[in-house]
Amino acid sequence: MKFTVIILAGGKGKRIKKFTKKKPKPMVEFLGKPFIEYQIELLKKQQFKRIIISVGHYGKQIIKFFKKKNFSDLNISFSIDGKKPLGTGGALKKIFKNHKGNFIVMYGDSYLPIDLKKIQEKFIESKKDVLLTIYRNKNKYDKSNIKIKNKKIYYNKHHPDIEMNYIDYGLSIIKGKLLKNYYKQKNFDLSDLFNKLCIEQKIAYTIVKKRFYEIGSYKGIEEFKKYIKEKKNVH
């Protein structure tokens, strides 16, 4: 059984203003295709059928694209933030009000070339409410925000320390019922939840070997562009 995938695509893309003045990050184009199409193709290849896309900033463009593109063999639906941004945690909470089960959660600016089925199996084995994928980054692709001590995970996005050699890979699996017990407010960041769960030792993790690609920075955009060109030339 494949879990439902949630793509959090409501961010404003402040770090790449050159590209996001009139469009959302997931609609930035690479070789004539928007970034989110590459994400969907990756999910489709791994036979995931149910996808929920959470939209906010210029979200109508994303909805319009999918209505026009019509991925007929996929069940793609949308959750809209509304007038005020909900943050990544708030956007999830809104989805979980209407949907039950376990969810693979990823971001609208991350491309993750990994076997999601294996991650799903790790989550089931862990018997935890949340599984976080992490990558040994050493500040290479972005600021590292995770450390492991005595097989325990410590996460702090806002105040990372020098011992942190790992980074949140950009993919987690979460039980939908979890957020009922955390955060009464509508607006909050998912990283705050991960930090809290680490302190309470209620989170499982798995280390991913393949690097991630992101388009939340100009450097990331150039690296993904290079990756896609190389991949196209191979085929």
Side-chain angles (χ1 to χ4, degrees):
M1 179 190 169
K2 296 283 198 305
F3 294 166
T4 297
V5 178
I6 297 172
I7 301 175
L8 297 171
K12 290 187 175 180
K14 289 179 181 178
R15 290 191 295 161
I16 53 164
K17 286 181 180 177
K18 189 168 76 175
F19 296 98
T20 55
K21 281 180 182 177
K22 294 182 179 179
K23 66 171 70 174
K25 269 190 289 185
M27 292 303 293
V28 173
E29 290 194 2
F30 296 86
L31 303 183
K33 285 198 303 190
F35 181 75
I36 199 164
E37 190 171 351
Y38 289 99
Q39 290 181 307
I40 297 298
E41 285 173 351
L42 197 61
L43 293 170
K44 188 178 174 182
K45 194 176 179 181
Q46 296 194 42
Q47 299 179 329
F48 285 88
K49 301 289 185 184
R50 297 189 311 277
I51 301 163
I52 301 170
I53 304 171
S54 175
V55 298
H57 181 68
Y58 289 132
K60 287 180 180 178
Q61 289 183 32
I62 297 173
I63 296 170
K64 188 178 177 182
F65 167 75
F66 280 101
K67 283 183 177 176
K68 191 177 178 182
K69 191 77 182 178
N70 188 23
F71 289 89
S72 55
D73 51 343
L74 299 176
N75 179 358
I76 299 175
S77 58
F78 302 91
S79 177
I80 302 166
D81 269 9
K83 289 182 180 179
K84 293 183 179 179
L86 296 174
T88 50
L92 268 191
K93 191 173 182 179
K94 185 173 183 179
I95 291 169
F96 291 168
K97 277 184 180 179
N98 302 312
H99 300 272
K100 292 180 181 179
N102 302 321
F103 300 86
I104 292 173
V105 180
M106 54 196 292
Y107 300 103
D109 61 359
S110 298
Y111 186 85
L112 313 172
I114 55 170
D115 186 343
L116 294 179
K117 188 184 174 185
K118 285 184 179 177
I119 305 297
Q120 194 172 278
E121 286 167 0
K122 293 271 188 186
F123 170 75
I124 294 165
E125 286 168 17
S126 77
K127 296 180 180 177
K128 298 273 190 180
D129 288 344
V130 177
L131 176 102
L132 188 64
T133 56
I134 65 175
Y135 176 77
R136 192 170 177 80
N137 177 59
K138 293 184 177 179
N139 293 322
K140 187 174 181 181
Y141 300 118
D142 209 334
K143 188 78 175 172
S144 296
N145 52 29
I146 291 169
K147 65 183 173 184
I148 299 169
K149 275 194 171 183
N150 302 320
K151 294 185 179 179
K152 291 176 184 175
I153 184 173
Y154 298 86
Y155 181 107
N156 198 320
K157 182 180 175 181
H158 303 297
H159 303 287
D161 65 49
I162 56 169
E163 293 182 353
M164 291 182 167
N165 286 324
Y166 292 86
I167 193 169
D168 172 3
Y169 187 69
L171 184 139
S172 55
I173 301 183
I174 303 176
K175 285 186 180 177
K177 65 179 183 180
L178 174 78
L179 290 183
K180 287 181 182 179
N181 304 322
Y182 291 87
Y183 297 101
K184 290 182 179 178
Q185 68 265 39
K186 288 182 178 180
N187 184 320
F188 65 96
D189 197 74
L190 197 52
S191 63
D192 295 328
L193 174 66
F194 292 154
N195 179 263
K196 189 175 176 66
L197 290 170
C198 284
I199 292 167
E200 295 174 359
Q201 295 177 29
K202 291 180 179 177
I203 193 167
Y205 68 89
T206 186
I207 299 169
V208 176
K209 301 293 184 184
K210 282 188 177 181
R211 69 154 294 187
F212 60 90
Y213 293 88
E214 54 80 23
I215 61 157
S217 66
Y218 291 117
K219 183 186 174 187
I221 284 171
E222 289 307 311
E223 286 180 347
F224 182 68
K225 196 183 291 180
K226 186 182 175 185
Y227 169 77
I228 289 298
K229 281 181 180 177
E230 287 174 356
K231 202 175 175 187
K232 190 180 180 184
N233 290 336
V234 167
H235 295 294

